[in-house]
Structures are given as C-alpha cells and as structure tokens.
Amino acid sequence: MAISEKDRLAEVLLRHPQLIPPLMRLGIRPGVGDLTVSSACVGLQVHSDLLMQLLNVLADDTYLPDNALAKFDMLPLIDYLKNVHVDLLNCLQLCGRHIRILISSAGDSGRLMEPVNSFFEEYSSEVSSLIEEEESRLIPFLSHLYELYFSPGYSPVDVGKISESLSLFGSRYDEVEKKMTDLMNLFVRHLQGDYDRHAFYGIIQFLQGLAFDIQGLRSVEMKLLKPLANEMAQEVRQRARKMAVQP
C-alpha cells in the first residue's frame, strides 16, 4: 500500500524502519509525534509531495511516481544525494574497520580471510569512485540545470543529454550491486576460524545498510531526478531556441 501525505509519519517508520536514515538526511528526526507526512514538512525546504514520493520509492522497488515533481524540488534532491554520499563513505570506513577486527580476532585463520578483505577493498574503491564521479559531474550538472531553469536570461547553452548521463550512472549501480551480492556470498560461505561474532554482526548490518542505500540512490536518481531533469532540460532548450531566433 502506497504511503500518502495523510499517513502518520510514526506509523510509516514503524512499518519501514529502514526509512529513518533517509528522513534524517532531509532534516526530519525521530520524535515526530502524531505528525503526518505532509505536516512533517512544515518549516523545512521539502515539499510534501517530494517527501511522499521519496518514501514510496525507497519503501517499494516497484513503485512508480504517478505525477511529476515541482521544479523547485530539484535542490532538496541534490542535497539528499550529497547526504547519501557522505553516509555511504562513512559506512564503508566503518565496515572496513570491522572486517579488520574480524580477521585479527580469528588468529592464525585470519590470513585465510584476507581474500575477503581484498574483495571488500575493491568494492569500497568502486563505490567511492562512483560517488566521486557523481560529485564532480552529475551534481554540478544538475545544479547548473537548476540555475538555468530559474535564471531570467535563459542563455542559449548546451545542457547536454540528461537521460544518457543518468543512465550511465544507473549502469554503474548495476555493477556495484552485483559485487555486493558476491561480497555477501563470501562472508556467508568462506569465513574461517573462531572469529569475533560481534564484529561479524556489525559487518552484516553495515553491508545491509550499504545495499539499501545504493539501491535507493539509484531509484531516486532514475525515478525522481531523471524525469524532473529531463523536463527542465527540455524547457531550457526550447527557451534557448526561441531566444536564438529573436532579432
């Protein structure tokens, strides 16, 4: 059942506790009382329709937004991407630390788990590279598109092909998600020795969080950002062409 603007936010979070970190990235912290999805947005730079669609996209992989977001929703979405990037990098560091504790706790058997650590480092490097690319290419492009859309002059510039740009990042997420599956398989099947179970618990929790955030990030980009950016880019191009033919 889709989440609506009239739903009590606390009840939504009790059904989907994995949505708590995404909400906090938008500035909404637990302690929401009886606020609805809509009323939780009061005083924030987040439109209620954006919050509702974001929650639905993250809670249900099959959810497809049935209406376009407002153009001013681009900025909070960009901020959301930046916050996810920060959390992902932090989670990678913490997970790596727990893996090293796990290997150290296994004594002589720890050396047999070094391939697991090496594979995680390869995975971590790939995720970090993807984040760096989004920070240096995608986010500046989206910010520039937003400025063009709301600027009074609409200077005729080439805003690029947003669909192809976002699809490129979508394909990178496919590769990262596949490596996460392989990584989980290594931990489940190939650990050796009498290792620290609490370190293992932490690793599994971090990996689950990474998997959810990466899948959610791709869904937000492809289902929310891509349609919005496409629409804005098309209008910018149309206005630029009209300016070009003016005497």
Side-chain angles (χ1 to χ4, degrees), residues 66-131:
D66 54 5
N67 60 298
L69 291 171
K71 304 302 183 294
F72 53 76
D73 285 329
M74 175 70 81
L75 281 186
L77 278 174
I78 292 173
D79 288 340
Y80 179 80
L81 257 62
K82 292 179 179 178
N83 287 331
V84 177
H85 289 166
V86 170
D87 288 348
L88 282 172
L89 292 173
N90 184 57
C91 192
L92 287 170
Q93 290 181 350
L94 291 173
C95 190
R97 188 180 306 165
H98 275 67
I99 291 174
R100 290 190 291 274
I101 293 173
L102 182 80
I103 292 175
S104 176
S105 71
D108 293 339
S109 299
R111 60 183 178 81
L112 300 175
M113 292 190 284
E114 281 299 336
V116 176
N117 184 49
S118 296
F119 191 84
F120 172 77
E121 289 180 350
E122 180 182 331
Y123 169 81
S124 179
S125 177
E126 188 162 338
V127 174
S128 299
S129 173
L130 175 56
I131 291 172

Side-chain angles (χ1 to χ4, degrees), residues 47-68:
H47 190 256
S48 59
D49 188 51
L50 169 60
L51 178 58
M52 181 189 68
Q53 292 201 35
L54 182 68
L55 292 175
N56 277 302
V57 163
L58 295 176
D60 182 3
D61 292 343
T62 65
Y63 176 81
L64 294 174
D66 54 5
N67 60 298

Side-chain angles (χ1 to χ4, degrees), residues 184-197:
M184 289 291 288
N185 184 61
L186 283 174
F187 275 103
V188 171
R189 293 179 181 272
H190 300 295
L191 292 189
Q192 303 284 332
D194 186 22
Y195 50 81
D196 187 325
R197 61 188 175 93

Side-chain angles (χ1 to χ4, degrees), residues 132-159:
E132 182 180 353
E133 194 170 4
E134 289 200 346
E135 288 283 335
S136 62
R137 292 179 55 193
L138 179 62
I139 289 179
F141 176 84
L142 294 173
S143 299
H144 182 54
L145 177 61
Y146 181 88
E147 292 174 2
L148 285 173
Y149 186 87
F150 286 103
S151 66
Y154 292 103
S155 302
V157 298
D158 181 10
V159 296

